Amino acid sequence: RWFLRLTDDGQTPDEVSYATMIYAHAKHGATEQAEKWLQHMLKAGVQPNVVTYNSLIVACARNGDIVGAEKWAYAAESIALTARVSNHTASVNACAKCDDESLAGKQIKKMCSRKVEANVVTYSSMIGACAKAGDRIRAEWWHKRMLERGLQPNGHTFSSVITACAKAGDVVAASRYLDDMQRAQIPADVVVYGSILNACAKARDADRAKKIFEQMQSSGIQPNAFHYAALAQSLAHTGNWIEVENLQRTMINSGIPLDEHFLYALLLAYSRNRTRQPQRAEAAFLDARAKGVRANKHVLTFLRKAVGMVRYKELMAAGDVLPQQMTQTPKWA
């Protein structure tokens, strides 16, 4: 409408007018519409500038369209437009969205060959690509390279390298980067703490999980159901059902209801204790089911281990307790 009013008023659209329209579509990832406006621009005899092409590259990046991003980067170069760091960064981001870590690395090397200095956003996108690929070693390498170039990591950079370490199960490295993040006075968010707590649960590192959980609370972040469940699972592997029950009470008192993930941790703790707790396991399961908590395969697996096969089959046959689809014993049980 703005563009139509412009032409209705007898004004001739210039490169800024067309670039504005292209950017408006690009920021929503509407690549096809952005490209149509470029064609209108060319037909009108208006020469695109570097900002115009950058908008198209950004549009492709938002959709994870590596080929499109490369096409428009090449188009800009073909008419002798000087590449901006934002052009290359958008291409790196497109690779990251497609989980193509290798191609993202090539984009940064291309920047260096053209004497375009990568910025924090570029490196963050690269580290993010490594994190998505679960490549902790490369994520840490790019993080180190960024520091060597004198660039200060931002929240996204730290979050990406922490996620990469957490995915790889390296809770020591993830915790170290969290400490670095705090020293840099960059606040961590619920996602960062959640990824480390989840890694602690998988590594069965209860002591570190408790430390991270307390660190999160002291920083003013309120734990959510995911954080409580991850901590509970870390504790449960040792069979410490008393501590898991205490954590459950704390969670409930904070207004967070029990879900299937915490129920799994509770049943895991009852089954892993040296003195198995079948009565507590059954009571916890029936109470949770009465409150509408879903019984997923992990819940049912550790219910069976906690109460024994005979009682488990009896519970499976109780149609008034279990949903219809679970009245039969699962094949994996």
Side-chain angles (χ1 to χ4, degrees), residues 243-277:
E243 200 162 358
V244 176
E245 282 189 352
N246 289 337
L247 184 63
Q248 179 188 6
R249 280 189 284 273
T250 301
M251 180 180 73
I252 298 298
N253 290 337
S254 68
I256 300 174
L258 180 76
D259 63 9
E260 67 266 28
H261 304 295
F262 199 100
L263 177 59
Y264 150 66
L266 199 54
L267 296 173
L268 174 64
Y270 291 141
S271 67
R272 288 288 172 86
N273 190 269
R274 289 184 180 180
T275 306
R276 218 161 27 106
Q277 302 292 317

PDB file of all heavy atoms in Angstrom, residues 243-277:
ATOM      1  N   GLU A 243      15.299 -38.053  48.367  1.00  0.00           N
ATOM      2  CA  GLU A 243      15.625 -36.721  47.836  1.00  0.00           C
ATOM      3  C   GLU A 243      14.724 -36.371  46.650  1.00  0.00           C
ATOM      4  O   GLU A 243      14.333 -35.220  46.471  1.00  0.00           O
ATOM      5  CB  GLU A 243      17.097 -36.660  47.426  1.00  0.00           C
ATOM      6  CG  GLU A 243      17.619 -35.250  47.323  1.00  0.00           C
ATOM      7  CD  GLU A 243      19.142 -35.158  47.348  1.00  0.00           C
ATOM      8  OE1 GLU A 243      19.810 -36.208  47.489  1.00  0.00           O
ATOM      9  OE2 GLU A 243      19.652 -34.035  47.229  1.00  0.00           O
ATOM     10  N   VAL A 244      14.384 -37.375  45.846  1.00  0.00           N
ATOM     11  CA  VAL A 244      13.485 -37.129  44.714  1.00  0.00           C
ATOM     12  C   VAL A 244      12.093 -36.753  45.213  1.00  0.00           C
ATOM     13  O   VAL A 244      11.449 -35.840  44.677  1.00  0.00           O
ATOM     14  CB  VAL A 244      13.417 -38.359  43.779  1.00  0.00           C
ATOM     15  CG1 VAL A 244      12.405 -38.135  42.656  1.00  0.00           C
ATOM     16  CG2 VAL A 244      14.784 -38.649  43.172  1.00  0.00           C
ATOM     17  N   GLU A 245      11.634 -37.429  46.254  1.00  0.00           N
ATOM     18  CA  GLU A 245      10.322 -37.080  46.829  1.00  0.00           C
ATOM     19  C   GLU A 245      10.334 -35.671  47.401  1.00  0.00           C
ATOM     20  O   GLU A 245       9.362 -34.917  47.254  1.00  0.00           O
ATOM     21  CB  GLU A 245       9.940 -38.087  47.917  1.00  0.00           C
ATOM     22  CG  GLU A 245       9.426 -39.415  47.381  1.00  0.00           C
ATOM     23  CD  GLU A 245       8.850 -40.288  48.487  1.00  0.00           C
ATOM     24  OE1 GLU A 245       8.981 -39.926  49.691  1.00  0.00           O
ATOM     25  OE2 GLU A 245       8.270 -41.350  48.167  1.00  0.00           O
ATOM     26  N   ASN A 246      11.440 -35.297  48.062  1.00  0.00           N
ATOM     27  CA  ASN A 246      11.546 -33.937  48.608  1.00  0.00           C
ATOM     28  C   ASN A 246      11.522 -32.895  47.490  1.00  0.00           C
ATOM     29  O   ASN A 246      10.888 -31.839  47.619  1.00  0.00           O
ATOM     30  CB  ASN A 246      12.841 -33.794  49.414  1.00  0.00           C
ATOM     31  CG  ASN A 246      12.803 -34.547  50.722  1.00  0.00           C
ATOM     32  OD1 ASN A 246      11.722 -34.840  51.255  1.00  0.00           O
ATOM     33  ND2 ASN A 246      13.961 -34.899  51.259  1.00  0.00           N
ATOM     34  N   LEU A 247      12.193 -33.221  46.393  1.00  0.00           N
ATOM     35  CA  LEU A 247      12.205 -32.321  45.239  1.00  0.00           C
ATOM     36  C   LEU A 247      10.803 -32.202  44.640  1.00  0.00           C
ATOM     37  O   LEU A 247      10.388 -31.123  44.229  1.00  0.00           O
ATOM     38  CB  LEU A 247      13.186 -32.840  44.189  1.00  0.00           C
ATOM     39  CG  LEU A 247      13.394 -31.959  42.957  1.00  0.00           C
ATOM     40  CD1 LEU A 247      14.007 -30.614  43.348  1.00  0.00           C
ATOM     41  CD2 LEU A 247      14.287 -32.664  41.935  1.00  0.00           C
ATOM     42  N   GLN A 248      10.081 -33.304  44.634  1.00  0.00           N
ATOM     43  CA  GLN A 248       8.711 -33.287  44.120  1.00  0.00           C
ATOM     44  C   GLN A 248       7.834 -32.342  44.949  1.00  0.00           C
ATOM     45  O   GLN A 248       7.057 -31.560  44.398  1.00  0.00           O
ATOM     46  CB  GLN A 248       8.117 -34.695  44.144  1.00  0.00           C
ATOM     47  CG  GLN A 248       6.679 -34.751  43.633  1.00  0.00           C
ATOM     48  CD  GLN A 248       6.029 -36.107  43.844  1.00  0.00           C
ATOM     49  OE1 GLN A 248       6.616 -36.993  44.472  1.00  0.00           O
ATOM     50  NE2 GLN A 248       4.824 -36.281  43.347  1.00  0.00           N
ATOM     51  N   ARG A 249       7.984 -32.407  46.250  1.00  0.00           N
ATOM     52  CA  ARG A 249       7.197 -31.519  47.118  1.00  0.00           C
ATOM     53  C   ARG A 249       7.535 -30.056  46.855  1.00  0.00           C
ATOM     54  O   ARG A 249       6.642 -29.201  46.814  1.00  0.00           O
ATOM     55  CB  ARG A 249       7.430 -31.877  48.593  1.00  0.00           C
ATOM     56  CG  ARG A 249       6.619 -33.095  49.066  1.00  0.00           C
ATOM     57  CD  ARG A 249       6.727 -33.263  50.566  1.00  0.00           C
ATOM     58  NE  ARG A 249       8.011 -33.827  50.955  1.00  0.00           N
ATOM     59  CZ  ARG A 249       8.271 -35.137  51.025  1.00  0.00           C
ATOM     60  NH1 ARG A 249       7.318 -36.007  50.727  1.00  0.00           N
ATOM     61  NH2 ARG A 249       9.459 -35.571  51.385  1.00  0.00           N
ATOM     62  N   THR A 250       8.827 -29.777  46.684  1.00  0.00           N
ATOM     63  CA  THR A 250       9.248 -28.405  46.376  1.00  0.00           C
ATOM     64  C   THR A 250       8.642 -27.932  45.066  1.00  0.00           C
ATOM     65  O   THR A 250       8.163 -26.794  44.951  1.00  0.00           O
ATOM     66  CB  THR A 250      10.788 -28.324  46.295  1.00  0.00           C
ATOM     67  OG1 THR A 250      11.355 -28.745  47.537  1.00  0.00           O
ATOM     68  CG2 THR A 250      11.244 -26.905  45.995  1.00  0.00           C
ATOM     69  N   MET A 251       8.660 -28.794  44.080  1.00  0.00           N
ATOM     70  CA  MET A 251       8.111 -28.461  42.766  1.00  0.00           C
ATOM     71  C   MET A 251       6.611 -28.193  42.847  1.00  0.00           C
ATOM     72  O   MET A 251       6.119 -27.195  42.306  1.00  0.00           O
ATOM     73  CB  MET A 251       8.387 -29.613  41.785  1.00  0.00           C
ATOM     74  CG  MET A 251       7.863 -29.378  40.377  1.00  0.00           C
ATOM     75  SD  MET A 251       8.193 -30.760  39.251  1.00  0.00           S
ATOM     76  CE  MET A 251       6.991 -31.969  39.887  1.00  0.00           C
ATOM     77  N   ILE A 252       5.888 -29.080  43.526  1.00  0.00           N
ATOM     78  CA  ILE A 252       4.432 -28.928  43.662  1.00  0.00           C
ATOM     79  C   ILE A 252       4.102 -27.639  44.410  1.00  0.00           C
ATOM     80  O   ILE A 252       3.198 -26.887  44.023  1.00  0.00           O
ATOM     81  CB  ILE A 252       3.814 -30.133  44.396  1.00  0.00           C
ATOM     82  CG1 ILE A 252       4.049 -31.437  43.609  1.00  0.00           C
ATOM     83  CG2 ILE A 252       2.319 -29.919  44.629  1.00  0.00           C
ATOM     84  CD1 ILE A 252       3.425 -31.469  42.248  1.00  0.00           C
ATOM     85  N   ASN A 253       4.861 -27.358  45.472  1.00  0.00           N
ATOM     86  CA  ASN A 253       4.625 -26.141  46.265  1.00  0.00           C
ATOM     87  C   ASN A 253       4.906 -24.866  45.468  1.00  0.00           C
ATOM     88  O   ASN A 253       4.364 -23.804  45.776  1.00  0.00           O
ATOM     89  CB  ASN A 253       5.488 -26.151  47.529  1.00  0.00           C
ATOM     90  CG  ASN A 253       5.030 -27.188  48.542  1.00  0.00           C
ATOM     91  OD1 ASN A 253       3.862 -27.606  48.526  1.00  0.00           O
ATOM     92  ND2 ASN A 253       5.925 -27.631  49.420  1.00  0.00           N
ATOM     93  N   SER A 254       5.748 -24.980  44.442  1.00  0.00           N
ATOM     94  CA  SER A 254       6.043 -23.810  43.607  1.00  0.00           C
ATOM     95  C   SER A 254       5.009 -23.638  42.493  1.00  0.00           C
ATOM     96  O   SER A 254       5.124 -22.721  41.674  1.00  0.00           O
ATOM     97  CB  SER A 254       7.447 -23.930  42.994  1.00  0.00           C
ATOM     98  OG  SER A 254       7.493 -24.973  42.043  1.00  0.00           O
ATOM     99  N   GLY A 255       4.015 -24.519  42.484  1.00  0.00           N
ATOM    100  CA  GLY A 255       2.931 -24.387  41.511  1.00  0.00           C
ATOM    101  C   GLY A 255       3.115 -25.169  40.221  1.00  0.00           C
ATOM    102  O   GLY A 255       2.354 -24.991  39.269  1.00  0.00           O
ATOM    103  N   ILE A 256       4.120 -26.043  40.171  1.00  0.00           N
ATOM    104  CA  ILE A 256       4.366 -26.842  38.967  1.00  0.00           C
ATOM    105  C   ILE A 256       3.844 -28.262  39.196  1.00  0.00           C
ATOM    106  O   ILE A 256       4.308 -28.959  40.099  1.00  0.00           O
ATOM    107  CB  ILE A 256       5.864 -26.889  38.629  1.00  0.00           C
ATOM    108  CG1 ILE A 256       6.389 -25.474  38.381  1.00  0.00           C
ATOM    109  CG2 ILE A 256       6.119 -27.778  37.408  1.00  0.00           C
ATOM    110  CD1 ILE A 256       7.881 -25.406  38.195  1.00  0.00           C
ATOM    111  N   PRO A 257       2.868 -28.711  38.416  1.00  0.00           N
ATOM    112  CA  PRO A 257       2.295 -30.045  38.620  1.00  0.00           C
ATOM    113  C   PRO A 257       3.230 -31.160  38.158  1.00  0.00           C
ATOM    114  O   PRO A 257       4.119 -30.942  37.328  1.00  0.00           O
ATOM    115  CB  PRO A 257       1.023 -30.019  37.761  1.00  0.00           C
ATOM    116  CG  PRO A 257       1.338 -29.038  36.677  1.00  0.00           C
ATOM    117  CD  PRO A 257       2.209 -27.988  37.309  1.00  0.00           C
ATOM    118  N   LEU A 258       3.021 -32.326  38.692  1.00  0.00           N
ATOM    119  CA  LEU A 258       3.783 -33.509  38.296  1.00  0.00           C
ATOM    120  C   LEU A 258       3.466 -33.857  36.843  1.00  0.00           C
ATOM    121  O   LEU A 258       2.316 -33.792  36.424  1.00  0.00           O
ATOM    122  CB  LEU A 258       3.401 -34.687  39.206  1.00  0.00           C
ATOM    123  CG  LEU A 258       4.093 -36.021  38.940  1.00  0.00           C
ATOM    124  CD1 LEU A 258       5.522 -35.995  39.464  1.00  0.00           C
ATOM    125  CD2 LEU A 258       3.313 -37.161  39.601  1.00  0.00           C
ATOM    126  N   ASP A 259       4.497 -34.203  36.071  1.00  0.00           N
ATOM    127  CA  ASP A 259       4.258 -34.668  34.700  1.00  0.00           C
ATOM    128  C   ASP A 259       4.902 -36.041  34.526  1.00  0.00           C
ATOM    129  O   ASP A 259       5.495 -36.596  35.460  1.00  0.00           O
ATOM    130  CB  ASP A 259       4.788 -33.673  33.667  1.00  0.00           C
ATOM    131  CG  ASP A 259       6.291 -33.474  33.737  1.00  0.00           C
ATOM    132  OD1 ASP A 259       6.975 -34.232  34.470  1.00  0.00           O
ATOM    133  OD2 ASP A 259       6.804 -32.560  33.069  1.00  0.00           O
ATOM    134  N   GLU A 260       4.805 -36.603  33.308  1.00  0.00           N
ATOM    135  CA  GLU A 260       5.301 -37.964  33.084  1.00  0.00           C
ATOM    136  C   GLU A 260       6.811 -38.058  33.217  1.00  0.00           C
ATOM    137  O   GLU A 260       7.347 -39.125  33.561  1.00  0.00           O
ATOM    138  CB  GLU A 260       4.866 -38.482  31.711  1.00  0.00           C
ATOM    139  CG  GLU A 260       5.475 -37.788  30.516  1.00  0.00           C
ATOM    140  CD  GLU A 260       4.598 -36.671  29.983  1.00  0.00           C
ATOM    141  OE1 GLU A 260       3.833 -36.078  30.776  1.00  0.00           O
ATOM    142  OE2 GLU A 260       4.660 -36.379  28.775  1.00  0.00           O
ATOM    143  N   HIS A 261       7.528 -36.955  32.969  1.00  0.00           N
ATOM    144  CA  HIS A 261       8.986 -36.984  33.059  1.00  0.00           C
ATOM    145  C   HIS A 261       9.452 -37.072  34.513  1.00  0.00           C
ATOM    146  O   HIS A 261      10.394 -37.815  34.820  1.00  0.00           O
ATOM    147  CB  HIS A 261       9.565 -35.753  32.382  1.00  0.00           C
ATOM    148  CG  HIS A 261       9.122 -35.599  30.961  1.00  0.00           C
ATOM    149  ND1 HIS A 261       9.463 -36.490  29.977  1.00  0.00           N
ATOM    150  CD2 HIS A 261       8.326 -34.659  30.360  1.00  0.00           C
ATOM    151  CE1 HIS A 261       8.919 -36.117  28.824  1.00  0.00           C
ATOM    152  NE2 HIS A 261       8.226 -35.018  29.035  1.00  0.00           N
ATOM    153  N   PHE A 262       8.788 -36.335  35.382  1.00  0.00           N
ATOM    154  CA  PHE A 262       9.148 -36.424  36.800  1.00  0.00           C
ATOM    155  C   PHE A 262       8.670 -37.757  37.372  1.00  0.00           C
ATOM    156  O   PHE A 262       9.346 -38.361  38.206  1.00  0.00           O
ATOM    157  CB  PHE A 262       8.538 -35.265  37.595  1.00  0.00           C
ATOM    158  CG  PHE A 262       9.223 -35.041  38.919  1.00  0.00           C
ATOM    159  CD1 PHE A 262      10.156 -34.031  39.071  1.00  0.00           C
ATOM    160  CD2 PHE A 262       8.962 -35.861  40.014  1.00  0.00           C
ATOM    161  CE1 PHE A 262      10.813 -33.834  40.283  1.00  0.00           C
ATOM    162  CE2 PHE A 262       9.608 -35.678  41.223  1.00  0.00           C
ATOM    163  CZ  PHE A 262      10.545 -34.653  41.359  1.00  0.00           C
ATOM    164  N   LEU A 263       7.502 -38.224  36.937  1.00  0.00           N
ATOM    165  CA  LEU A 263       6.995 -39.524  37.398  1.00  0.00           C
ATOM    166  C   LEU A 263       7.977 -40.631  37.034  1.00  0.00           C
ATOM    167  O   LEU A 263       8.233 -41.535  37.842  1.00  0.00           O
ATOM    168  CB  LEU A 263       5.625 -39.797  36.777  1.00  0.00           C
ATOM    169  CG  LEU A 263       4.995 -41.160  37.105  1.00  0.00           C
ATOM    170  CD1 LEU A 263       4.801 -41.331  38.610  1.00  0.00           C
ATOM    171  CD2 LEU A 263       3.665 -41.310  36.365  1.00  0.00           C
ATOM    172  N   TYR A 264       8.519 -40.553  35.829  1.00  0.00           N
ATOM    173  CA  TYR A 264       9.543 -41.536  35.411  1.00  0.00           C
ATOM    174  C   TYR A 264      10.726 -41.517  36.373  1.00  0.00           C
ATOM    175  O   TYR A 264      11.226 -42.573  36.794  1.00  0.00           O
ATOM    176  CB  TYR A 264       9.993 -41.232  33.981  1.00  0.00           C
ATOM    177  CG  TYR A 264      11.411 -41.615  33.661  1.00  0.00           C
ATOM    178  CD1 TYR A 264      11.809 -42.953  33.647  1.00  0.00           C
ATOM    179  CD2 TYR A 264      12.371 -40.637  33.378  1.00  0.00           C
ATOM    180  CE1 TYR A 264      13.117 -43.298  33.360  1.00  0.00           C
ATOM    181  CE2 TYR A 264      13.680 -40.982  33.092  1.00  0.00           C
ATOM    182  CZ  TYR A 264      14.049 -42.309  33.083  1.00  0.00           C
ATOM    183  OH  TYR A 264      15.340 -42.660  32.810  1.00  0.00           O
ATOM    184  N   ALA A 265      11.191 -40.312  36.742  1.00  0.00           N
ATOM    185  CA  ALA A 265      12.324 -40.191  37.661  1.00  0.00           C
ATOM    186  C   ALA A 265      11.987 -40.792  39.022  1.00  0.00           C
ATOM    187  O   ALA A 265      12.809 -41.470  39.642  1.00  0.00           O
ATOM    188  CB  ALA A 265      12.716 -38.727  37.807  1.00  0.00           C
ATOM    189  N   LEU A 266      10.770 -40.561  39.474  1.00  0.00           N
ATOM    190  CA  LEU A 266      10.334 -41.087  40.769  1.00  0.00           C
ATOM    191  C   LEU A 266      10.339 -42.612  40.759  1.00  0.00           C
ATOM    192  O   LEU A 266      10.867 -43.260  41.683  1.00  0.00           O
ATOM    193  CB  LEU A 266       8.931 -40.551  41.062  1.00  0.00           C
ATOM    194  CG  LEU A 266       8.429 -40.572  42.506  1.00  0.00           C
ATOM    195  CD1 LEU A 266       9.393 -39.866  43.444  1.00  0.00           C
ATOM    196  CD2 LEU A 266       7.056 -39.923  42.575  1.00  0.00           C
ATOM    197  N   LEU A 267       9.770 -43.206  39.715  1.00  0.00           N
ATOM    198  CA  LEU A 267       9.728 -44.665  39.604  1.00  0.00           C
ATOM    199  C   LEU A 267      11.122 -45.247  39.406  1.00  0.00           C
ATOM    200  O   LEU A 267      11.430 -46.334  39.913  1.00  0.00           O
ATOM    201  CB  LEU A 267       8.816 -45.072  38.445  1.00  0.00           C
ATOM    202  CG  LEU A 267       7.346 -44.695  38.609  1.00  0.00           C
ATOM    203  CD1 LEU A 267       6.571 -44.986  37.335  1.00  0.00           C
ATOM    204  CD2 LEU A 267       6.714 -45.421  39.791  1.00  0.00           C
ATOM    205  N   LEU A 268      11.969 -44.509  38.692  1.00  0.00           N
ATOM    206  CA  LEU A 268      13.356 -44.929  38.512  1.00  0.00           C
ATOM    207  C   LEU A 268      14.060 -45.009  39.860  1.00  0.00           C
ATOM    208  O   LEU A 268      14.778 -45.978  40.147  1.00  0.00           O
ATOM    209  CB  LEU A 268      14.073 -43.937  37.598  1.00  0.00           C
ATOM    210  CG  LEU A 268      15.581 -44.112  37.398  1.00  0.00           C
ATOM    211  CD1 LEU A 268      15.891 -45.427  36.712  1.00  0.00           C
ATOM    212  CD2 LEU A 268      16.155 -42.945  36.584  1.00  0.00           C
ATOM    213  N   ALA A 269      13.849 -43.999  40.695  1.00  0.00           N
ATOM    214  CA  ALA A 269      14.474 -43.977  42.021  1.00  0.00           C
ATOM    215  C   ALA A 269      13.986 -45.138  42.883  1.00  0.00           C
ATOM    216  O   ALA A 269      14.783 -45.796  43.563  1.00  0.00           O
ATOM    217  CB  ALA A 269      14.175 -42.648  42.715  1.00  0.00           C
ATOM    218  N   TYR A 270      12.684 -45.410  42.846  1.00  0.00           N
ATOM    219  CA  TYR A 270      12.128 -46.525  43.633  1.00  0.00           C
ATOM    220  C   TYR A 270      12.697 -47.871  43.179  1.00  0.00           C
ATOM    221  O   TYR A 270      12.927 -48.771  43.993  1.00  0.00           O
ATOM    222  CB  TYR A 270      10.606 -46.556  43.505  1.00  0.00           C
ATOM    223  CG  TYR A 270       9.892 -45.402  44.166  1.00  0.00           C
ATOM    224  CD1 TYR A 270       8.788 -44.810  43.554  1.00  0.00           C
ATOM    225  CD2 TYR A 270      10.294 -44.899  45.399  1.00  0.00           C
ATOM    226  CE1 TYR A 270       8.111 -43.756  44.142  1.00  0.00           C
ATOM    227  CE2 TYR A 270       9.637 -43.842  46.004  1.00  0.00           C
ATOM    228  CZ  TYR A 270       8.540 -43.271  45.369  1.00  0.00           C
ATOM    229  OH  TYR A 270       7.866 -42.221  45.966  1.00  0.00           O
ATOM    230  N   SER A 271      12.928 -48.006  41.879  1.00  0.00           N
ATOM    231  CA  SER A 271      13.420 -49.284  41.347  1.00  0.00           C
ATOM    232  C   SER A 271      14.920 -49.451  41.521  1.00  0.00           C
ATOM    233  O   SER A 271      15.419 -50.578  41.582  1.00  0.00           O
ATOM    234  CB  SER A 271      13.066 -49.419  39.859  1.00  0.00           C
ATOM    235  OG  SER A 271      13.776 -48.472  39.081  1.00  0.00           O
ATOM    236  N   ARG A 272      15.660 -48.338  41.615  1.00  0.00           N
ATOM    237  CA  ARG A 272      17.118 -48.393  41.696  1.00  0.00           C
ATOM    238  C   ARG A 272      17.640 -48.454  43.136  1.00  0.00           C
ATOM    239  O   ARG A 272      18.827 -48.701  43.339  1.00  0.00           O
ATOM    240  CB  ARG A 272      17.719 -47.177  40.989  1.00  0.00           C
ATOM    241  CG  ARG A 272      17.610 -47.223  39.472  1.00  0.00           C
ATOM    242  CD  ARG A 272      18.565 -48.253  38.889  1.00  0.00           C
ATOM    243  NE  ARG A 272      18.352 -48.455  37.469  1.00  0.00           N
ATOM    244  CZ  ARG A 272      18.907 -47.721  36.517  1.00  0.00           C
ATOM    245  NH1 ARG A 272      19.684 -46.703  36.847  1.00  0.00           N
ATOM    246  NH2 ARG A 272      18.687 -48.009  35.255  1.00  0.00           N
ATOM    247  N   ASN A 273      16.791 -48.201  44.088  1.00  0.00           N
ATOM    248  CA  ASN A 273      17.243 -48.253  45.478  1.00  0.00           C
ATOM    249  C   ASN A 273      17.619 -49.689  45.858  1.00  0.00           C
ATOM    250  O   ASN A 273      17.042 -50.642  45.352  1.00  0.00           O
ATOM    251  CB  ASN A 273      16.140 -47.732  46.404  1.00  0.00           C
ATOM    252  CG  ASN A 273      16.636 -47.532  47.825  1.00  0.00           C
ATOM    253  OD1 ASN A 273      16.556 -48.419  48.655  1.00  0.00           O
ATOM    254  ND2 ASN A 273      17.162 -46.350  48.104  1.00  0.00           N
ATOM    255  N   ARG A 274      18.593 -49.820  46.760  1.00  0.00           N
ATOM    256  CA  ARG A 274      19.000 -51.171  47.185  1.00  0.00           C
ATOM    257  C   ARG A 274      17.822 -51.941  47.761  1.00  0.00           C
ATOM    258  O   ARG A 274      17.715 -53.161  47.598  1.00  0.00           O
ATOM    259  CB  ARG A 274      20.117 -51.066  48.225  1.00  0.00           C
ATOM    260  CG  ARG A 274      21.455 -50.614  47.660  1.00  0.00           C
ATOM    261  CD  ARG A 274      22.530 -50.618  48.709  1.00  0.00           C
ATOM    262  NE  ARG A 274      23.816 -50.194  48.158  1.00  0.00           N
ATOM    263  CZ  ARG A 274      24.942 -50.111  48.866  1.00  0.00           C
ATOM    264  NH1 ARG A 274      24.927 -50.415  50.181  1.00  0.00           N
ATOM    265  NH2 ARG A 274      26.061 -49.732  48.292  1.00  0.00           N
ATOM    266  N   THR A 275      16.962 -51.197  48.482  1.00  0.00           N
ATOM    267  CA  THR A 275      15.725 -51.798  48.975  1.00  0.00           C
ATOM    268  C   THR A 275      14.605 -51.275  48.098  1.00  0.00           C
ATOM    269  O   THR A 275      14.142 -50.155  48.262  1.00  0.00           O
ATOM    270  CB  THR A 275      15.463 -51.418  50.453  1.00  0.00           C
ATOM    271  OG1 THR A 275      16.604 -51.755  51.233  1.00  0.00           O
ATOM    272  CG2 THR A 275      14.238 -52.144  50.976  1.00  0.00           C
ATOM    273  N   ARG A 276      14.201 -52.070  47.124  1.00  0.00           N
ATOM    274  CA  ARG A 276      13.179 -51.636  46.181  1.00  0.00           C
ATOM    275  C   ARG A 276      11.928 -51.183  46.916  1.00  0.00           C
ATOM    276  O   ARG A 276      11.582 -51.729  47.973  1.00  0.00           O
ATOM    277  CB  ARG A 276      12.837 -52.801  45.236  1.00  0.00           C
ATOM    278  CG  ARG A 276      12.594 -52.355  43.818  1.00  0.00           C
ATOM    279  CD  ARG A 276      12.715 -53.491  42.809  1.00  0.00           C
ATOM    280  NE  ARG A 276      12.436 -54.813  43.291  1.00  0.00           N
ATOM    281  CZ  ARG A 276      11.327 -55.503  43.017  1.00  0.00           C
ATOM    282  NH1 ARG A 276      10.381 -54.955  42.291  1.00  0.00           N
ATOM    283  NH2 ARG A 276      11.181 -56.720  43.468  1.00  0.00           N
ATOM    284  N   GLN A 277      11.230 -50.189  46.361  1.00  0.00           N
ATOM    285  CA  GLN A 277      10.061 -49.590  47.010  1.00  0.00           C
ATOM    286  C   GLN A 277       8.794 -49.821  46.166  1.00  0.00           C
ATOM    287  O   GLN A 277       8.246 -48.897  45.570  1.00  0.00           O
ATOM    288  CB  GLN A 277      10.294 -48.092  47.205  1.00  0.00           C
ATOM    289  CG  GLN A 277      11.506 -47.724  48.025  1.00  0.00           C
ATOM    290  CD  GLN A 277      11.351 -48.132  49.477  1.00  0.00           C
ATOM    291  OE1 GLN A 277      10.290 -47.954  50.076  1.00  0.00           O
ATOM    292  NE2 GLN A 277      12.409 -48.693  50.050  1.00  0.00           N
TER     293      GLN A 277
END
